Amino acid sequence: AAVEDRAAELRAHLAARLPEYMVPAAYVVLDSLPLTSNGKLDHKALPAPDDTAYAHRTFEPPEGEIEQAIATLWSELLGIERIGRHDNFFVLGGHSMLVTRLLSGIRQLMEVELPLRTVFASPTVADLSRALLDVVLEPSAEPRPTVSDLK
């Protein structure tokens, strides 16, 4: 847990000084940086972060079917085994390209079309679940156009 505590401390320290998009999602402790023969950083030799490298909140498991489905999608997309209901998609390493894959997964699993901005506005499992429920339960003001309407 010491590495997880350090990741949370580093994240809090940097978040107070940097814009959110510049705060690293994961922190990996290395004895030294891997270098190429030219003395430059060897990016390919850097180890992949494991679950302890991310700053997690106290773990609360997803509640209900929708939260569990979202957490499963995140787990597959982010390569992180344990996703809690208060974990933030972007803090865990999510980015705009993964958001499109997440929305595609939600569309396939739940047959619901969410706008891209919803994920950015609701970046935790619990928040995204509530946003998804709002979309599903919201009575549509206008009927959606069908293919025959477009002719």
Side-chain angles (χ1 to χ4, degrees):
V3 173
E4 289 175 351
D5 293 341
R6 271 198 274 177
E9 287 174 28
L10 281 168
R11 178 158 185 69
H13 178 78
L14 292 174
R17 291 160 179 77
L18 296 171
E20 180 66 29
Y21 71 90
M22 292 182 74
V23 178
Y27 303 88
V28 177
V29 178
L30 300 173
D31 293 330
S32 62
L33 293 174
L35 303 176
T36 65
S37 57
N38 295 334
K40 295 183 179 182
L41 179 63
D42 186 352
H43 293 273
K44 293 178 185 172
L46 288 170
D50 62 13
D51 276 353
T52 63
Y54 296 91
H56 296 278
R57 290 176 139 187
T58 302
F59 181 76
E60 277 187 51
E63 296 176 359
E65 288 181 36
I66 294 174
E67 284 189 16
Q68 289 172 352
I70 291 169
T72 300
L73 279 171
W74 287 21
S75 180
E76 292 168 5
L77 290 171
L78 300 170
I80 297 173
E81 193 173 313
R82 193 173 86 156
I83 304 285
R85 69 186 311 257
H86 297 296
D87 285 335
N88 184 304
F89 185 75
F90 301 103
V91 170
L92 296 178
H95 50 77
S96 57
M97 295 302 292
L98 285 179
V99 169
T100 58
R101 291 177 53 199
L102 173 64
L103 292 174
S104 174
I106 289 172
R107 189 179 320 108
Q108 288 176 345
L109 273 177
M110 302 174 200
E111 298 178 3
V112 175
E113 190 76 35
L114 284 178
L116 192 68
R117 68 181 176 275
T118 303
V119 179
F120 289 95
S122 306
T124 68
V125 170
D127 290 342
L128 189 56
S129 175
R130 277 192 292 277
L132 192 57
L133 273 174
D134 289 346
V135 169
V136 170
L137 298 176
E138 179 180 289
S140 183
E142 302 174 8
R144 294 189 178 166
T146 64
V147 175
S148 60
D149 294 334
L150 301 174
K151 291 181 181 177

